[in-house]
Amino acid sequence: MTSAPQTATDSPKKLDVLIVGAGFAGMYLVHKFRKLGYSMLAVDAAPEVGGTWYWNRYPGARCDVESLQYSYSFSEELEAEWEWSEKFAAQPEIHAYRKYVADKFDLRKDMLFNTKVTSAIFNDDTNRWLITTDQGQAFDAKYCVMATGPLSVPLFPKFEGMENFKGKIYHTGKWPQEEVDFSGQRVGVIGTGSSAVQTIPEIAKQTKELYIFQRTANYSVPAQNRPLTEEEKASWKNNFRQLRKKSRTTRVAMLHEFGQKSALEVSAEEREKEYQRRWEKGGTNFGYAYNDIILNEEANKTCADFVRRKIDQIVKDPKTAELLKTQTYPIATKRLCIDTDFYETFNKDYVHLVDVRSNPIERFTENGLTVAGKEYCFDSIILATGFDAMTGAVLNIDIRGKEGLPLKEKWEAGPRTYLGLQVAGFPNLFMVNAPGSPSVFTNMVISIEDSVNWITDCIANIDKQQYQRIEASEQAEEEWVHIVNEAANKTLVPKANSWYLGANVPGKTRVFMPYVGGFDKWLNLIWEIAEKNYEGFELSK
Ligand code: FAD
Ligand code: NAP
């Protein structure tokens, strides 16, 4: 950020748009708004661009969407210049990519770092937002865009006695910037979600003893990560236009081999062969082997059972294998974990799995923690305990809409949006990756790009027509909430106690948050709505 910081005594700085967040979404918003000639600023609590890939630098952090696809598609020059080294890039490479993008498009000059947005208050008379920060600055913007991230508020469970622990506590989602060396240490990991599944094999390479505390067994499939071949890189560079276009016609904004048959219409032998082929190929492609895996319990079980058989084959200790197979939900109804040697790691004699479903963690002590009256002693404990997802970051900001209505109050019974883009009662405020959007079910870079394209196009359009405000109507919002619920209820996804439902946060209202009806459908719909001059939105001068 180039301009001098404001002080509390300055009058609010006038902007066309204030963006909160400088991850994939915030960065692209800056680029787009600048091209449109808008004055804008993106504010981020981090000292650098990157969002997710700035904060989550735990050992083993990688993307689960193939690197070639998990990247921006808006610039042909960028597609041509950037070279991914591996099928699934690791955090340092993804972060380097984001910094490269920031440099290439000179994004930082419209960004303010190390600054948290604390409130955003709408003024009914001026139709503008007053945004304040923890550094005492104030901004007066016609539009405000929340690009605050769906997984940006780490969840720190409150265990009794946590403050007494003499060792170090880390959270995967807020990992220190400097290297952490666990050599020779006794380490405990709490959680077995995607972050844990990625970090456990890496941490196990260093530790003397490693204990993993598992509450819910997860399904994980191998990434089969490897360097990209020169042919693969060249093929992407020659075909990316068609490939990007095609990915936007899928329900997850990602190219996969989408199985066209039901798992139940083929023989058990054929299924086994197909699951095995996909297992060997690696990645989340495994979960798309048949078209009814997340629709039909019986079909789903064929897929889940295959993974359980794999666990039996890989994990030598039968008790550990048994515990790793106690999944309580249908496969692929939480984002499928992909790993490198997760199950294999349990064959190391110093790696132990502890069940904390039947006996939850009781308390932390000076030396470690206790489960079922037994004390486990550690030098370090890693919380791989996830995030207050989708609503956490926006609700950390005191957002007040028309007539001072707090967003917290509006969302008391669960989050509500129109298309995942706007909330009724909050004019000129847009959100990226909000509840009601397909976001977390997709290759998120692509769904982010399309959300940003739509938001920036919408703002440019209504300004051209000299409207002063745009606001989702209550009725359109109500109908969209119904559509989001219906889409989820047609699938097995509500059967998992996942962060999609808010089930991981004590006291959070349980509402299925993402739209699972298909990215392709959503994309067509939002542009149809734009063509109808923003049907379902109220425009006023
Ligand atoms: P973020 O990258 O989360 O950026 C949001 C930014 O907003 C943060 O930098 C945060 O500091 C800032 N912020 C929030 N609140 C405030 C505030 N009040 N004031 C100032 N700043 C604020 N998705 C995929 O599609 N594929 C993957 O492989 C994949 N891997 C993932 C791996 C991990 C470990 C995690 C946690 C998530 C992963 N995701 C993946 C999801 C990922 O979050 C998205 O792909 C994407 O990076 C989100 O970008 P964003 O810009 O919307 O949000
Ligand atoms: P997560 O999936 O929510 O997993 C959190 C883990 O911590 C779960 O095993 C949970 O158990 C456990 N846990 C939480 N509180 C606990 C407590 N009090 N006691 C015991 N266990 C507790 O979080 P995450 O692993 O960070 O992943 C979140 C999302 O980020 C993923 O779904 C994915 O979208 C994204 N992500 C992607 C990748 C990737 O592969 N690219 C990597 C990391 C993250 P329960 O299940 O019982 O609640």
Side-chain angles (χ1 to χ4, degrees):
M1 162 71 183
T2 46
S3 59
Q6 276 179 282
T7 65
T9 50
D10 291 337
S11 57
K13 183 174 177 182
K14 275 214 164 190
L15 294 166
D16 295 324
V17 191
L18 190 289
I19 299 156
V20 192
F24 268 125
M27 290 170 67
Y28 186 45
L29 278 159
V30 167
H31 177 68
K32 284 285 293 193
F33 277 122
R34 189 185 292 157
K35 274 189 130 182
L36 289 166
Y38 280 78
S39 65
M40 86 343 266
L41 185 70
V43 180
D44 201 302
E48 179 49 292
V49 293
T52 293
W53 302 99
Y54 170 80
W55 297 109
N56 291 263
R57 47 178 74 203
Y58 57 83
R62 285 182 187 280
C63 49
D64 61 6
V65 171
E66 294 184 10
S67 323
L68 290 169
Q69 299 195 53
Y70 191 61
S71 50
Y72 286 122
S73 70
F74 70 84
S75 161
E76 297 205 346
E77 230 180 77
L78 181 63
E79 293 258 26
E81 283 169 10
W82 185 263
E83 290 259 317
W84 291 106
S85 67
E86 290 180 288
K87 190 170 151 197
F88 296 104
Q91 177 273 336
E93 192 174 359
I94 305 174
H95 192 42
Y97 170 76
R98 294 208 188 185
K99 289 197 278 189
Y100 179 85
V101 174
D103 289 341
K104 181 174 171 68
F105 298 99
D106 199 10
L107 301 180
R108 290 187 191 84
K109 75 173 180 205
D110 290 313
M111 290 180 171
L112 175 64
F113 296 113
N114 295 308
T115 305
K116 224 178 217 169
V117 168
T118 48
S119 72
I121 315 285
F122 184 68
N123 183 326
D124 276 313
D125 300 324
T126 60
N127 292 317
R128 296 178 69 88
W129 286 89
L130 177 67
I131 296 114
T132 55
T133 76
D134 66 347
Q135 303 299 312
Q137 299 106 323
F139 301 97
D140 170 3
K142 180 169 180 192
Y143 301 101
C144 182
V145 187
M146 294 292 161
T148 44
L151 295 157
S152 57
V153 179
L155 199 59
F156 287 84
K158 289 184 179 62
F159 296 107
E160 201 188 312
M162 229 165 165
E163 64 289 354
N164 301 327
F165 178 57
K166 292 252 167 65
K168 292 246 166 79
I169 298 178
Y170 301 95
H171 193 295
T172 49
K174 209 175 176 196
W175 201 259
Q177 297 305 301
E178 63 278 8
E179 287 269 303
V180 184
D181 183 7
F182 294 107
S183 301
Q185 287 198 12
R186 291 173 60 88
V187 175
V189 176
I190 302 176
T192 49
S194 302
S195 302
V197 157
Q198 286 189 328
T199 207
I200 286 165
E202 286 304 311
I203 304 271
K205 288 179 185 162
Q206 301 176 18
T207 58
K208 189 166 89 188
E209 291 285 335
L210 182 62
Y211 282 81
I212 291 118
F213 296 91
Q214 172 186 280
R215 188 165 67 184
T216 307
N218 248 317
Y219 301 93
S220 191
V221 299
Q224 312 288 16
N225 191 33
R226 55 170 174 75
L228 286 168
T229 64
E230 291 310 315
E231 292 73 39
E232 284 169 323
K233 290 189 225 173
S235 166
W236 181 266
K237 289 201 190 299
N238 291 334
N239 298 299
F240 67 79
R241 287 182 197 84
Q242 304 92 289
L243 295 171
R244 295 296 200 175
K245 208 167 163 192
K246 195 168 168 208
S247 72
R248 289 181 153 91
T249 65
T250 71
R251 62 182 190 272
V252 285
M254 209 180 318
L255 299 167
H256 270 308
E257 296 172 90
F258 294 101
Q260 300 299 319
K261 290 182 191 163
S262 158
L264 305 176
E265 72 180 73
V266 299
S267 67
E269 293 71 32
E270 188 178 333
R271 257 193 328 254
E272 193 74 5
K273 227 167 117 190
E274 181 61 4
Y275 287 138
Q276 178 63 27
R277 186 183 71 76
R278 287 178 184 250
W279 183 273
E280 285 169 17
K281 197 171 173 197
T284 53
N285 193 43
F286 178 81
Y288 297 99
Y290 296 101
N291 64 13
D292 51 358
I293 288 175
I294 64 156
L295 299 178
N296 176 309
E297 299 224 33
E298 209 187 323
N300 188 283
K301 192 168 175 303
T302 67
C303 188
D305 284 348
F306 179 88
V307 176
R308 293 198 186 99
R309 284 198 292 283
K310 284 289 178 195
I311 296 172
D312 273 336
Q313 286 164 18
I314 298 168
V315 180
K316 293 192 181 119
D317 174 46
K319 269 195 182 156
T320 305
E322 214 43 53
L323 193 50
L324 287 166
K325 292 190 305 175
T326 54
Q327 292 88 356
T328 50
Y329 64 95
I331 190 166
T333 55
K334 292 186 186 184
R335 195 157 175 130
L336 195 57
C337 299
I338 68 162
D339 71 271
T340 301
D341 293 339
F342 174 63
Y343 293 123
E344 288 80 354
T345 298
F346 291 93
N347 292 333
K348 294 182 193 282
D349 58 6
Y350 58 90
V351 176
H352 317 277
L353 186 64
V354 182
D355 173 22
V356 293
R357 173 165 291 268
S358 25
N359 293 298
I361 293 166
E362 289 158 346
R363 69 183 64 81
F364 274 42
T365 63
E366 265 188 28
N367 302 316
L369 55 84
T370 65
V371 176
K374 180 176 168 185
E375 186 177 30
Y376 295 82
C377 298
F378 297 119
D379 300 298
S380 302
I381 294 176
I382 297 170
L383 304 174
T385 45
F387 301 87
D388 182 355
M390 300 201 83
T391 56
V394 271
L395 289 179
N396 275 348
I397 303 170
D398 181 10
I399 302 177
R400 290 167 194 249
K402 273 189 330 198
E403 292 157 21
L405 176 69
L407 185 64
K408 262 195 189 91
E409 205 176 299
K410 161 101 194 202
W411 280 3
E412 208 160 17
R416 304 165 63 77
T417 70
Y418 180 37
L419 306 168
L421 293 165
Q422 257 212 349
V423 180
F426 295 77
N428 296 1
L429 177 79
F430 293 86
M431 294 182 182
V432 185
N433 297 326
S437 71
S439 57
V440 291
F441 262 82
T442 67
N443 167 9
M444 291 191 61
V445 188
I446 295 301
S447 54
I448 284 170
E449 276 187 339
D450 286 316
S451 307
V452 170
N453 287 339
W454 191 92
I455 290 168
T456 49
D457 192 75
C458 167
I459 286 176
N461 254 319
I462 60 171
D463 278 349
K464 208 162 121 200
Q465 297 178 63
Q466 296 183 337
Y467 287 111
Q468 290 311 309
R469 66 202 247 176
I470 173 164
E471 176 190 356
S473 77
E474 293 282 352
Q475 193 194 335
E477 182 181 87
E478 177 66 30
E479 283 167 12
W480 186 246
V481 169
H482 180 70
I483 289 170
V484 172
N485 287 334
E486 257 197 339
N489 290 335
K490 279 187 192 153
T491 73
L492 303 173
V493 288
K495 289 195 180 285
N497 267 335
S498 65
W499 55 260
Y500 296 144
L501 261 174
N504 62 331
V505 182
K508 187 163 171 172
T509 313
R510 291 197 184 196
V511 171
F512 194 85
M513 294 185 280
Y515 170 64
V516 295
F519 168 79
D520 48 345
K521 265 196 196 163
W522 174 84
L523 187 62
N524 289 335
L525 180 67
I526 61 172
W527 286 109
E528 269 169 32
I529 283 169
E531 265 167 37
K532 293 180 191 156
N533 210 23
Y534 304 99
E535 189 176 59
F537 291 90
E538 286 159 7
L539 306 173
S540 41
K541 298 227 167 167

